[in-house]
Amino acid sequence: MATELIVALDVPTLDDASRLLDRLGGSVRWFKVGMQLFTATGPAVVREIRSRGAKVFLDLKFHDIPNTVAGAAQSAAALGVEMFNVHASGGEEMMRAAVTGGGREGGARPLVIAVTILTSQAASEADVLKLARAAKASGLDGVVCSAREAVTLKRELGADFKLVCPGIRPSWSETGDQKRIVTPRDAVKAGADYIVVGRPILAAPNPAEAAKRVLDEMQAA
Ligand code: C5P
């Protein structure tokens, strides 16, 4: 599968999100909805994205008792998102509940992706790998990781285990607060299945042009 671009809709309101969708909807096929936007708009933003034919990564990082996570997964699947995530540190029973709860009758279930250890916390590669293995053993489809870890994770967990990689910065953009950054080209070459890009596109003077540059760079990799 060719690497897909997911644009992080890190904006505060439905109006802001709709404006971006107007500009990017023609070229970008995946959008990430995180806590800020979902808390403000609820499911309306998911419907807005889906009505334009694009796919949704619901980035709410579920982490609770298995029964509660199963319910959240069921709600996410009912909304029609194509991907959502949970914290691997919630344990294998919780992760299995997310996969089971996300099942849809007669339809493909959303991809269930694990967050291993937040990049804001100190972690060794061994810790990340241990949680990623637990996620795979629990039936999850992949993990969020730095593209710098992609080669190792693909080797250890197999080509089919999806890698969703934020911390992407094209050479022409500002670094911001991301420290361990990788260019779109290098992320594709390292084996990322999805790259998540926010500010380099959102904060660009012309977001559509910036998205096109990222997509061109990915295609040329
Ligand atoms: O603006 P930027 O490209 O840094 O946005 C990256 C997106 O990916 C943000 O929505 C951020 O919350 C998310 N993310 C991240 N690092 C992680 C996990 C998620 O930057 N480890």
Side-chain angles (χ1 to χ4, degrees):
M1 183 188 100
T3 311
E4 293 271 1
L5 169 64
I6 305 179
V7 171
L9 286 179
D10 290 330
V11 293
T13 69
L14 188 57
D15 276 355
D16 291 318
S18 299
R19 255 193 303 278
L20 277 164
L21 291 168
D22 286 341
R23 295 171 133 175
L24 302 175
S27 56
V28 176
R29 307 191 324 189
W30 279 85
F31 292 93
K32 179 170 88 69
V33 175
M35 289 185 222
Q36 181 188 18
L37 187 59
F38 195 80
T39 302
T41 72
V45 69
V46 174
R47 296 198 193 101
E48 181 78 27
I49 296 167
R50 297 192 68 236
S51 74
R52 295 160 189 259
K55 298 183 179 184
V56 179
F57 169 20
L58 189 64
D59 176 22
L60 297 179
K61 302 185 180 71
F62 300 141
H63 187 177
D64 209 312
I65 58 171
N67 187 59
T68 301
V69 167
Q74 203 172 1
S75 297
L79 258 184
V81 308
E82 278 78 12
M83 181 189 291
F84 68 89
N85 56 4
V86 303
H87 274 286
S89 56
E92 298 199 18
E93 193 189 341
M94 188 209 77
M95 288 194 275
R96 281 195 298 274
V99 174
T100 312
R104 277 194 280 245
E105 266 181 47
R109 71 164 169 78
L111 294 170
V112 188
I113 302 294
V115 174
T116 55
I117 296 176
L118 294 171
T119 40
S120 50
Q121 295 179 308
S124 70
E125 192 178 283
D127 295 335
V128 171
L129 202 51
K130 192 171 163 214
L131 286 165
R133 283 210 174 94
K136 189 176 176 188
S138 309
L140 267 68
D141 300 292
V143 289
V144 178
C145 66
S146 161
R148 295 189 185 201
E149 297 156 354
V151 171
T152 305
L153 287 173
K154 282 285 182 189
R155 189 179 62 227
E156 298 293 326
L157 297 162
D160 291 342
F161 197 63
K162 306 275 185 255
L163 303 181
V164 180
C165 302
I168 303 292
R169 288 292 176 271
S171 50
W172 42 265
S173 69
E174 301 274 338
T175 308
D177 59 359
Q178 294 281 15
K179 294 194 175 70
R180 301 175 66 235
I181 53 171
V182 177
T183 63
R185 176 179 178 276
D186 288 346
V188 170
K189 293 192 114 147
D193 294 284
Y194 300 87
I195 65 170
V196 178
V197 181
R199 287 162 289 181
I201 291 173
L202 268 50
N206 182 338
E209 171 66 30
K212 186 174 182 309
R213 281 177 85 175
V214 172
L215 287 164
D216 287 348
E217 182 177 329
M218 289 168 70
Q219 208 155 34

